[in-house]
Amino acid sequence: MVITIPLVLLLAVFVVLLLRFKAVGAGAAVAVALFGFYLAHTGAADTVNELVTAVTDAVPGVGR
């Protein structure tokens, strides 16, 4: 059985861990989240999606 975990969920867990272990502050986490939100509404969104897809396809066991 294959279990699929959305990338956004993995990144959210990563951010929570960074906040928990005080590797980043809450302000920095909010700034990065807002940057990602606004980046998704630009012309760079397709390029970022293609890059992430290429990386996940290249890593064995992570791709679709």
Side-chain angles (χ1 to χ4, degrees):
M1 176 164 77
V2 176
I3 298 174
T4 309
I5 300 173
L7 183 58
V8 70
L9 179 62
L10 291 176
L11 291 173
V13 169
F14 184 65
V15 169
V16 168
L17 289 174
L18 287 174
L19 287 168
R20 168 113 168 90
F21 294 113
K22 297 188 183 350
V24 297
V30 169
V32 170
L34 288 173
F35 173 73
F37 179 78
Y38 286 110
L39 180 66
H41 294 295
T42 67
D46 291 333
T47 305
V48 172
N49 284 332
E50 290 172 4
L51 177 65
V52 171
T53 301
V55 169
T56 57
D57 288 344
V59 177
V62 176
R64 304 172 211 196

